[in-house]
Amino acid sequence: MGCFTFVKAVMVMFNLLICLAGICVATVGIWVTVYENSFMSILPPFNDKIWSHVNVGIFCISIGAVMTWLGMIGCCGAQKESKCLLIMFFSIVLIICIAEVAAAVVTLVYSSYAEIFLRMWAIPGLKEQYGKNQIFTNLWNSTMTTLQCCGFNNYTDFSGSYYYKQNGELYPPACCLGLELFPCDEDNADYSRVMGCFKRIVKHTKMNVNILGGIAAGVTAIELAAMGVAMYLYCYLDKKET
Ligand SMILES: *[C@@H]1O[C@H](CO)[C@@H](O)[C@H](O)[C@H]1NC(C)=O
Ligand SMILES: *[C@@H]1O[C@H](CO)[C@@H](O)[C@H](O)[C@H]1NC(C)=O
């Protein structure tokens, strides 16, 4: 009896915390949505142009709502000793767990192909579209300026390109960082050794990926523990009935 009461109290407390945390996350989400323009630029991971399209506010509201709802089910299920709510809680957490694992697998598989797809898209684009297609040029201009990189691998991606021919055999200025006073010809581009954008992006995302992976591992551990506790309570109540 002592053990059951203790586990039940832990389950109630833990789910109250999840519920409160969910309300906080949703509140932050609403706040971000309302004050998006002023707020987003403060958060370091989101002041990149690449990220500003991701709607962080909506994401936080959704996550917060799910956490609040799940916390309430878990809390009520344990407090009222309701087998139905407990098994519901268990099933929802299990589904979330499976979805997380699936997302992780898809991300891993996708990222190993990402380089191939990016290379197939980027290098012919740089040769033929850069300087011709406004959207493509803008995208590369802002990437190269923000990340201080040049081309996909290096400046040689521009050799013989449309831009190169149109501009008197010169490379885009971003390829000659630190030599802005001189025309960006082959010698200067080679000398300034500006890193290719692919390498830069990989470097840039690696840290974020590590943080995300750590958070995902922590969340999964909590989910497994919550599932174990819910199952224990369910089995105990089931046994008591018979
Ligand atoms: C991109 O940068 C190049 C080189 O600085 C410049 O000539 C071009 O006008 C820019 N294009 C756009 C669309 O911003
Ligand atoms: C530029 O990148 C290509 C492809 O990765 C590589 O073969 C070449 O050696 C590089 N050139 C310089 C100057 O780094």
Side-chain angles (χ1 to χ4, degrees):
M1 184 256 170
C3 186
F4 175 78
T5 315
F6 174 73
V7 174
K8 182 179 144 182
V10 168
M11 179 83 174
V12 170
M13 287 300 292
F14 174 75
N15 279 286
L16 270 181
L17 279 179
I18 293 287
C19 200
L20 283 177
I23 293 172
C24 291
V25 171
T27 310
V28 169
I30 293 169
W31 195 47
V32 169
T33 308
V34 173
Y35 297 102
E36 187 149 26
N37 290 334
S38 53
F39 189 74
M40 295 291 280
S41 54
I42 305 169
L43 284 174
F46 302 122
N47 57 12
D48 290 339
K49 286 195 181 85
I50 301 162
W51 283 100
S52 63
H53 299 291
V54 181
N55 204 324
V56 183
I58 301 287
F59 181 73
C60 286
I61 294 172
S62 318
I63 295 279
V66 170
M67 281 169 74
T68 309
W69 180 61
L70 201 55
M72 267 155 70
I73 291 176
C75 187
C76 290
Q79 181 59 36
K80 291 197 157 67
E81 303 189 359
S82 155
K83 272 167 64 185
C84 174
L85 283 180
L86 284 172
I87 204 70
M88 193 170 156
F89 177 86
F90 179 88
S91 312
I92 296 167
V93 177
L94 183 63
I95 290 169
I96 294 175
C97 241
I98 292 171
E100 264 178 20
V101 171
V105 169
V106 168
T107 310
L108 281 179
V109 170
Y110 173 79
S111 63
S112 61
Y113 285 113
E115 182 178 357
I116 300 169
F117 288 131
L118 273 175
R119 196 178 290 279
M120 271 165 47
W121 166 79
I123 295 179
L126 288 176
K127 295 262 193 238
E128 285 145 33
Q129 300 299 320
Y130 186 81
K132 199 190 275 177
N133 179 325
Q134 180 88 28
I135 297 170
F136 189 86
T137 310
N138 265 334
L139 180 67
W140 274 96
N141 270 5
S142 59
T143 306
M144 294 200 294
T145 322
T146 315
L147 299 179
Q148 305 199 329
C149 57
C150 162
F152 186 79
N153 295 312
N154 53 43
Y155 74 92
T156 58
D157 294 335
F158 287 106
S159 300
S161 68
Y162 173 84
Y163 180 91
Y164 184 78
K165 286 177 190 151
Q166 289 292 307
N167 288 275
E169 312 213 325
L170 290 182
Y171 293 93
C175 299
C176 294
L177 207 70
L179 296 169
E180 282 87 355
L181 293 178
F182 304 100
C184 191
D185 60 13
E186 178 134 25
D187 285 344
N188 285 334
D190 190 45
Y191 178 76
S192 59
R193 302 220 164 276
V194 176
M195 198 185 260
C197 289
F198 182 70
K199 238 182 183 173
R200 262 275 190 265
I201 291 171
V202 168
K203 233 182 184 176
H204 208 68
T205 38
K206 220 163 221 169
M207 203 181 75
N208 294 340
V209 167
N210 286 345
I211 293 171
L212 267 182
I215 293 174
V219 168
T220 309
I222 292 173
E223 283 168 356
L224 289 179
M227 271 159 59
V229 169
M231 208 20 121
Y232 169 81
L233 293 178
Y234 178 87
C235 289
Y236 183 94
L237 292 171
D238 203 43
K239 219 190 249 169
K240 207 171 72 173
E241 268 175 19
T242 53

